[in-house]
Amino acid sequence: FCEDLTLRSCGAHIHVGYDKPAVKFKNDIYNYEVDEQRAGIVQVLDLFISVPFVLMEPDSERKRLYGKAGAFRPKSYGLEYRTPSSWYLSNKELIKWTFNSTKTAFDYFAKNGNLPAGLAQHVEKVINSNNKSDAKDLMKDFKLQLA
């Protein structure tokens, strides 16, 4: 809920498809139980995309309404990652960075699987609180690059 009725936000959701989603999805988001595979992928996307966005994105007002860590919709082909705002569509370099970071996140997930629970919770807090100091630490720990 947002008290400011004039606040508007826009997302630029990232649709990702991959071979053999663990749980078949029949386009009914109202009767969907989160599966471990999709949840794990989204946590890695949070780390590789939304943590750097904490440092790069000039405005975090949208997070009051929408775009918290872990936001996604299941799709028959994979998932729709809903955390990022439309800010990255502002120039070609940011779009390219987001595309490459999505690929890097999937490579990481294929090699390492889910994030450890404590790390996933920390990433969520960093994104939702827009904690720039902790975002810098995660960037350093995972050797992430800014656009």
Side-chain angles (χ1 to χ4, degrees), residues 13-18 20-29 32 35 37-38 42 72-82:
H13 306 158
I14 300 170
H15 291 255
V16 290
Y18 48 91
K20 302 177 186 172
V23 174
K24 293 291 182 192
F25 177 69
K26 298 179 179 150
N27 291 326
D28 184 359
I29 61 171
Y32 172 74
D35 63 271
Q37 181 191 50
R38 284 184 178 93
V42 169
F72 80 98
R73 280 187 185 149
K75 297 292 182 180
S76 60
Y77 51 80
L79 60 90
E80 171 189 358
Y81 182 53
R82 298 168 56 87

Side-chain angles (χ1 to χ4, degrees), residues 81-93:
Y81 182 53
R82 298 168 56 87
T83 301
S85 74
S86 60
W87 165 80
Y88 77 89
L89 298 176
S90 63
N91 74 52
K92 288 181 184 181
E93 288 304 311

